[in-house]
Amino acid sequence: MDLAGGFVDPKESAEETCKRELFEELQLDVDISNLKYLTSLPNVYQYKEIDYNTIDLFYEYHVPEKFEVNLELSEISEAVWIPLKELDIEDLAFDSQKRFFEEYLKNM
């Protein structure tokens, strides 16, 4: 399981990346001014058997209600809503995400 995300394009801010990726993956059009930066954590992303050191930025964005995700199969294969109290951290794809939610859930 993974969170929506992606790589920053040249001349693009992290917030613009977040807006673009959320639209590409979830068809969610966000107002950048309502993104709340939470933290950053180092990560290792493997691509074509090469490990790349990356930095993952975590943002919070509130939506007024659950929405139906129209899947763009080239981006994601499935979208699910999981209440935070039911999130199994071990199901997350990346160590940075596991570390983030371990801290986040402790502070709730």
Side-chain angles (χ1 to χ4, degrees):
M1 177 172 52
D2 195 4
L3 303 174
F7 292 97
V8 177
D9 287 341
K11 299 182 181 182
E12 185 178 58
S13 71
E15 292 78 13
E16 290 167 336
T17 299
C18 191
K19 179 179 178 69
R20 177 179 52 77
E21 289 291 345
L22 287 170
F23 187 78
E24 286 176 3
E25 295 182 15
L26 303 175
Q27 301 301 300
L28 177 62
D29 190 16
V30 302
D31 177 353
I32 289 177
S33 68
N34 291 328
L35 286 170
K36 179 183 175 188
Y37 171 78
L38 300 176
T39 193
S40 64
L41 292 168
N43 192 22
V44 176
Y45 182 81
Q46 190 175 69
Y47 180 70
K48 295 187 178 181
E49 300 181 27
I50 299 173
D51 288 343
Y52 292 91
N53 291 300
T54 62
I55 189 79
D56 291 347
L57 306 175
F58 292 85
Y59 288 88
E60 182 177 81
Y61 188 82
H62 290 273
V63 294
E65 60 188 16
K66 288 183 184 179
F67 57 90
E68 186 68 31
V69 176
N70 297 316
L71 296 179
E72 178 59 50
L73 293 178
S74 66
E75 295 289 334
I76 60 174
S77 59
E78 179 182 28
V80 295
W81 292 90
I82 301 172
L84 284 175
K85 62 183 173 247
E86 295 176 22
L87 178 65
D88 184 349
I89 291 172
E90 292 307 310
D91 288 342
L92 294 168
F94 295 104
D95 288 340
S96 61
Q97 294 173 2
K98 292 175 185 177
R99 287 179 34 218
F100 170 76
F101 280 107
E102 284 169 356
E103 281 301 309
Y104 189 81
L105 294 172
K106 263 196 274 185
N107 296 318
M108 282 185 65

